[in-house]
Amino acid sequence: MERDIHPAVTDAADDIADMEVRGAATIADAAAAALGEQAEASEAETPEAFRAEIRTAARMLHETRPTAVSLPNALRYVLRGMNGEIVSELRVSVIEGAVEFRRELDHAQDNLGQIGANRLRDGDTIMTHCHSTDALSCVRNALDDGKEISAIVKETRPRKQGHITAKQLREWDVPVTIIVDNAARRYLDDTDHVLVGADAIAADGSVINKIGTSGLAVNARERGVPIMVAAQTLKFHPGTMTGHTVEIEMRDEAEILPDDERAEIGDVTVENPAFDVTPPRYVDAIVTERGQFPPESVVTLMRELFGDYHANEPWER
Ligand SMILES: O=P(O)(O)OC[C@H]1O[C@H](OP(=O)(O)O)[C@H](O)[C@@H]1O
């Protein structure tokens, strides 16, 4: 079955695993697009073969990175919409499902941005961690509303996604100060809002985001700086409603300690978790396309959105 998988899928899977394509929403978008391309190019002659091919493609995409729940949420959306008696009907349903998913994602990000922008006042300084398109949508909308926003950007070791955030903000003419992650507490005194994204939101309102978010949130709370998480409902983790926990990705040790530096030091253990969990009590608001929520209340919306969720995923069948 593997041989029928289109290069668009294998390339997307490689790019996601290597983080050439990264960020929870962008990963979901790329995965849906890849399924659409698989459907378009499929040479399957029977409905069974077509379905099996799409499921294999979805599985391949699913196995790339474990934490951002937007990825399985995207795959589930497209696979649940796969309908038809004959190959041509199935093909159209997958192509249209992928297009519709990507359109909804864009709308959600824009709606969320308008809501998040309302929390920002003219002249505010935000502090960011990592690079989040959902978080940046809030800034973009605030700028469009005529507000002046400045940013303190944490560089975000080890992969320095803060540079991507800084570049985007500078393209929008936002004044940017880049700091090392360890300087965050000092600069919270100059910060009006901590604004971060999320890779997954658990049913209890915990926020799973780039490693370092939880420490930032604890420090911000101690300093009295509000913490706003921009996360479209695509980031809600349905499995956490039934007691599953969110797997935290452990990445390559060489991202932290390259082999030559390691050889200098000697025999050490290196741990490189990509994400951490911020408990709901350190988060002031989760901003979604459906409105802003105190973290403890997201479970109500999750039940509404994922009421029919069961752990038996369509690509596992
Ligand atoms: O969906 P958007 O808001 O773009 O990004 C959400 C999150 O995805 C990123 O993870 P990584 O850099 O892929 O490990 C960051 O943790 C960021 O906050």
Side-chain angles (χ1 to χ4, degrees), residues 72-277:
N73 284 349
L75 300 173
R76 197 181 311 112
Y77 182 103
V78 177
L79 263 68
R80 290 243 172 113
M82 178 160 71
N83 275 311
E85 301 297 321
I86 52 174
V87 171
S88 59
E89 287 172 4
L90 288 164
R91 189 193 311 279
V92 168
S93 71
V94 172
I95 294 170
E96 284 181 353
V99 168
E100 196 178 280
F101 172 84
R102 301 179 75 199
R103 197 185 314 122
E104 280 181 22
L105 188 151
D106 271 353
H107 280 164
Q109 194 162 73
D110 195 40
N111 290 345
L112 163 164
Q114 286 167 20
I115 295 165
N118 293 335
R119 291 183 65 89
L120 302 175
R121 293 155 303 182
D122 189 24
D124 273 356
T125 298
I126 57 163
M127 183 181 285
T128 65
H129 186 56
C130 202
H131 168 257
S132 156
T133 54
D134 280 356
L136 283 173
S137 177
C138 301
V139 179
R140 182 63 258 170
N141 278 276
L143 297 172
D144 291 346
D145 291 344
K147 296 174 188 171
E148 283 187 17
I149 305 292
S150 301
I152 297 170
V153 172
K154 293 179 70 200
E155 65 176 351
T156 318
R157 292 274 171 171
R159 295 186 68 101
K160 297 190 194 160
Q161 290 97 324
H163 292 192
I164 307 170
T165 301
K167 186 164 183 272
Q168 175 66 83
L169 290 170
R170 284 307 300 138
E171 280 168 18
W172 294 342
D173 271 338
V174 171
V176 168
T177 303
I178 293 187
I179 58 169
V180 296
D181 296 313
N182 287 337
R185 188 161 182 270
R186 173 184 170 120
Y187 286 92
L188 279 168
D189 289 341
D190 304 328
T191 302
D192 299 295
H193 291 269
V194 167
L195 172 56
V196 296
D199 294 81
I201 304 283
D204 70 348
S206 296
V207 172
I208 294 84
N209 192 45
K210 184 56 54 194
I211 189 81
T213 304
S214 64
L216 175 62
V218 171
N219 281 330
R221 175 53 49 82
E222 186 250 347
R223 283 289 206 261
V225 180
I227 303 124
M228 155 178 173
V229 175
Q232 47 183 302
T233 56
L234 180 65
K235 314 290 178 62
F236 287 4
H237 194 301
T240 58
M241 292 190 299
T242 48
H244 293 277
T245 50
V246 179
E247 182 181 344
I248 301 292
E249 176 184 12
M250 300 300 285
R251 292 194 61 84
D252 193 343
E253 299 172 9
E255 285 186 346
I256 293 186
L257 195 59
D259 290 344
D260 53 333
E261 289 179 25
R262 190 172 189 148
E264 287 290 311
I265 299 170
D267 185 20
V268 288
T269 302
V270 177
E271 295 269 318
N272 185 14
F275 304 100
D276 66 18
V277 181

